[in-house]
Amino acid sequence: MRILGIETSCDETGVAIYDDEKGLLAHQLYSQVKLHADYGGVVPELASRDHVKKTIPLIKATLAEAGLTPSDLDGVAYTAGPGLVGALLVGATIGRSLAYAWNLPAVAVHHMEGHLLAPMLEDTPPPFPFIALLVSGGHTLLVEVKAIGEYQILGESIDDAAGEAFDKTAKLMGLDYPGGPLLSKLAEKGDSARFTFPRPMTTVPGLDFSFSGLKTFTANTIAANDNDDQTRADIARAFEDAVVDTLAIKCKRALKQCHMKRLVIAGGVSANRHLRVKLEALMTSLGGEVYYPRTEFCTDNGAMIAYAGMQRLKNGEHNDLGVKGFPRWPIDQLMTIKS
Ligand code: KG4
Ligand code: ZN
């Protein structure tokens, strides 16, 4: 079985074809970063308009890359949420319409389930059960994963998501959008010992996160110090250390609470090198393992949507003729797939 996956929930147009037996056959990505850079963040209307322009050409290019025609496909999966409603509706309308025209089932995919399952595309996929730390621009979630769709949310951010905190702090520091990777690069030259930022909500019980205070702490530290290159790098380092440490403390707590030794990290921030190193050290100390997607599949992409869509299609899940778009869609409302 082969499925086409379409991702348009935010500022990346992603398209991929996944084959149940052969794995990923082709994938293409168009990033809108340049389009939004002047505005310092994603402009939803511009994002939607650009998806309108890019999605069909990208689908054609992906089919060509795989050497396939629509008649070789068995389904069309598209991201139905959560995300920006206009952007979602572009992928959903195109995906649903192509499925109708090609007489194929259409599958509405949950974007965060796509992220959660992205490590399954790697050579050594994580076996169930595991704890998943999902860290993207829109969400920070700690999830107990017993099977595909059997998700219990253990904790989430009560304000900014981890990626959002990176981006907003980077903006404060005068870095371009999207600031996360740039802030992380700046932090590499920073000295960890110079500033110590708080580790929010780690001294209280529970698995929720709060990152918005770190932004204010960064602003105050910038105001109280010189603006030379080393100081900027030291501040970036202190911020990154605080986010990474906080995430690691909560992962350790979640693993202990659920008596597990397997951790999956996914979503844009899982590309962060410092976070990976920290969580690898944590899992070594606990005698467990950590799994994550290859860097290009940490951030938004069509491959994860095609993979998640394939699992849902094989489970007999596909939609009626409605175009599905859910800007808010809790991940624990998905159907469990019993193996
Ligand atoms: O998963 P994603 O592509 O989009 C959403 O679903 O939101 O995540 C994008 C987020 C952005 O906030 C970006 O700054 C952050 O992931 N990000 C990083 C890194 N690479 C991407 N944050 C920190 N360090 C990185 N290396
Ligand atoms: Zn995402």
Side-chain angles (χ1 to χ4, degrees):
M1 281 220 299
R2 289 186 207 104
I3 196 165
L4 178 78
I6 304 168
E7 157 61 35
T8 65
S9 70
C10 190
D11 58 347
E12 250 113 24
T13 318
V15 178
I17 297 169
Y18 183 82
D19 181 305
D20 196 23
E21 283 169 14
K22 295 183 189 146
L24 194 61
L25 299 183
H27 66 99
Q28 300 266 334
L29 188 78
Y30 177 80
S31 170
Q32 301 180 352
V33 162
K34 283 202 192 93
L35 182 69
H36 302 292
D38 286 349
Y39 304 91
V42 180
V43 183
E45 178 62 19
L46 294 183
S48 311
R49 289 183 200 186
D50 209 54
H51 287 307
V52 169
K53 278 195 224 151
K54 298 295 180 344
T55 308
I56 301 271
L58 224 52
I59 291 172
K60 285 186 180 161
T62 310
L63 281 165
E65 186 193 337
L68 298 175
T69 65
S71 62
D72 298 313
L73 298 173
D74 301 284
V76 180
Y78 61 85
T79 304
L84 302 172
V85 69
L88 288 169
L89 284 174
V90 177
T93 309
I94 292 175
R96 178 59 270 189
S97 307
L98 287 177
Y100 180 74
W102 295 339
N103 201 19
L104 296 174
V107 186
V109 172
H110 191 290
H111 181 78
M112 297 311 289
E113 178 172 67
H115 277 304
L116 193 156
L117 297 177
M120 300 296 178
L121 292 162
E122 301 308 320
D123 291 341
T124 336
F128 296 105
F130 53 77
I131 297 294
L133 171 69
L134 305 180
V135 271
S136 70
H139 297 84
T140 303
L141 288 170
L142 259 174
V143 190
E144 183 183 13
V145 180
K146 291 194 177 147
I148 295 182
E150 197 171 352
Y151 306 137
Q152 196 193 337
I153 298 174
L154 303 170
E156 56 195 316
S157 180
I158 58 168
D159 42 53
D160 293 352
E164 190 179 359
F166 263 97
D167 294 342
K168 287 181 176 172
T169 304
K171 201 170 177 183
L172 273 177
M173 302 193 68
L175 299 170
D176 284 341
Y177 160 84
L182 295 176
L183 189 147
S184 180
K185 195 154 179 263
L186 182 61
E188 274 173 29
K189 296 184 214 114
D191 174 5
S192 262
R194 171 119 178 248
F195 301 107
T196 305
F197 284 20
R199 275 55 175 157
M201 291 182 80
T202 53
T203 53
V204 292
L207 294 166
D208 284 339
F209 304 90
S210 167
F211 291 113
S212 70
L214 279 178
K215 213 172 44 203
T216 318
F217 203 91
T218 310
N220 293 341
T221 311
I222 293 171
N225 286 279
D226 291 339
N227 191 26
D228 58 281
D229 287 352
Q230 190 56 49
T231 302
R232 285 164 50 75
D234 294 344
I235 292 173
R237 183 60 195 255
F239 170 84
E240 188 178 56
D241 280 348
V243 174
V244 165
D245 248 13
T246 303
L247 293 171
I249 290 167
K250 298 280 169 150
C251 284
K252 188 175 177 184
R253 213 177 268 182
L255 290 157
K256 197 170 165 209
Q257 184 178 308
C258 298
H259 309 287
M260 287 207 203
K261 289 198 168 180
R262 218 172 277 132
L263 179 68
V264 162
I265 49 168
V269 183
S270 67
N272 186 280
R273 201 185 57 82
H274 188 171
L275 178 65
R276 289 181 176 209
V277 170
K278 182 88 188 178
L279 293 178
E280 273 168 18
L282 170 70
M283 295 319 291
T284 306
S285 74
L286 296 177
E289 308 101 51
V290 60
Y291 298 82
Y292 34 76
R294 71 193 82 162
T295 318
E296 67 176 324
F297 293 162
C298 288
T299 42
D300 292 348
N301 63 86
M304 67 185 196
I305 301 306
Y307 180 85
M310 175 60 86
Q311 311 316 310
R312 298 268 156 216
L313 183 63
K314 282 200 299 180
N315 195 41
E317 293 173 58
H318 50 85
N319 299 119
D320 54 25
L321 286 178
V323 172
K324 311 285 178 198
F326 313 111
R328 290 181 197 282
W329 186 7
I331 196 170
D332 54 2
Q333 288 179 0
L334 298 177
M335 200 185 282
T336 297
I337 300 183
K338 292 285 176 205
S339 54

